[in-house]
Amino acid sequence: MKKLRLVITGNPGVGKHTSANIIAEKINAEIIDINDVAIDNNATGKNTDLGFDVNVKKLLRLLEKLLKTKRDLVLVGHLAPYVLKPAGISLVAVLRRSPYELEKTLKKRGYSVDKVRENVASEILGISLHDSVKTFGKRKVAEFDTTGKTPKETADEILAALQNKQKSKPKLMGIDWLNLVSEKGDMRRFFKY
Ligand SMILES: Nc1ncnc2c1ncn2[C@@H]1O[C@H](COP(=O)(O)OP(=O)(O)O)[C@@H](O)[C@H]1O
Ligand SMILES: [Mg+2]
């Protein structure tokens, strides 16, 4: 049987790890945390308030090796589109979350004002989705809005997409936070200019 390689990506705070844990347990897959692989293998670089740099080439090689040898996997991390190749990947789930909820989550995490702003701005612009489509191709990518949902609901939606059981194909590019934020007159709140 073909090995499962589910990728869960998206901005920090959208709900990747929480839903990945539920999914991995349900289908008895192993979770690989991409950040942990980088940290555990010295594939990281400069550390700043905004996060750490990674050695993309090294991380790519490390993950390739894991993909070759491991059983069913759920690969989790916002770096996924920069350190994985599309071959062998079953589905790339890009989790999205309303900037208003995301801001609350990241503040609660204790992120600095700048780090919250940078991450929320990135979510509004849909960078993770854009970069995922660019790397993996639109046929492998689906986006899931976690806003107002429970982790279990999100996990079930991703599982349905994985097993092709959903009624309609999950939407791609269907989420438009930019329009929402602009309509609410909140551009200045999220973008420094
Ligand atoms: N639908 C949802 N799916 C996943 N997590 C959610 C959802 N709704 C709220 N959360 C909460 O969001 C917070 C951030 O989730 P986490 O999994 O740590 O995000 P990430 O790994 O993307 O940084 C957690 O407290 C989690 O319980
Ligand atoms: Mg996480």
Side-chain angles (χ1 to χ4, degrees), residues 11-19 97 105 109 146 149-151 154:
N11 266 284
V14 290
K16 297 182 295 294
H17 284 90
T18 312
S19 40
R97 185 179 212 132
T105 305
R109 252 185 210 183
T146 67
K149 303 225 172 86
T150 66
T154 296

Side-chain angles (χ1 to χ4, degrees), residues 41-91:
N41 294 282
N42 278 321
T44 58
K46 210 172 71 194
N47 216 329
T48 69
D49 168 57
L50 295 179
F52 56 80
D53 287 343
V54 291
N55 181 335
V56 169
K57 268 194 186 154
K58 186 169 179 185
L59 191 49
L60 213 136
R61 271 201 311 274
L62 288 161
L63 290 167
E64 258 241 305
K65 220 185 212 171
L66 290 173
L67 285 170
K68 260 189 207 137
T69 53
K70 294 274 191 178
R71 59 187 178 96
D72 289 353
L73 292 179
V74 180
L75 296 126
V76 189
H78 70 281
L79 292 172
Y82 318 108
V83 296
L84 288 171
K85 290 197 176 138
I89 302 294
S90 323
L91 172 74

Side-chain angles (χ1 to χ4, degrees), residues 39-178:
I39 293 164
D40 295 347
N41 294 282
N42 278 321
T44 58
K46 210 172 71 194
N47 216 329
T48 69
D49 168 57
L50 295 179
F52 56 80
D53 287 343
V54 291
N55 181 335
V56 169
K57 268 194 186 154
K58 186 169 179 185
L59 191 49
L60 213 136
R61 271 201 311 274
L62 288 161
L63 290 167
E64 258 241 305
K65 220 185 212 171
L66 290 173
L67 285 170
K68 260 189 207 137
T69 53
K70 294 274 191 178
R71 59 187 178 96
D72 289 353
L73 292 179
V74 180
L75 296 126
V76 189
H78 70 281
L79 292 172
Y82 318 108
V83 296
L84 288 171
K85 290 197 176 138
I89 302 294
S90 323
L91 172 74
V92 180
V94 181
L95 304 198
R96 309 294 309 273
R97 185 179 212 132
S98 138
Y100 298 93
E101 277 195 20
L102 188 60
E103 187 182 41
K104 273 190 223 151
T105 305
L106 296 180
K107 275 185 182 163
K108 243 190 249 166
R109 252 185 210 183
Y111 279 18
S112 69
V113 174
D114 278 350
K115 195 170 177 180
V116 171
R117 192 186 286 127
E118 188 187 85
N119 279 293
V120 174
S122 161
E123 173 58 19
I124 293 170
L125 296 173
I127 309 271
S128 262
L129 179 72
H130 174 272
D131 292 350
S132 294
V133 169
K134 201 169 157 197
T135 296
F136 301 106
K138 61 182 176 197
R139 284 178 51 217
K140 282 195 178 176
V141 179
E143 63 179 341
F144 299 85
D145 187 355
T146 67
T147 316
K149 303 225 172 86
T150 66
K152 187 178 174 298
E153 282 171 331
T154 296
D156 285 344
E157 277 182 30
I158 298 170
L159 279 167
L162 198 58
Q163 293 153 359
N164 259 321
K165 276 190 188 149
Q166 76 279 26
K167 287 186 198 89
S168 58
K169 197 180 177 301
K171 272 210 182 124
L172 197 55
M173 318 283 189
I175 293 169
D176 186 2
W177 304 137
L178 196 53

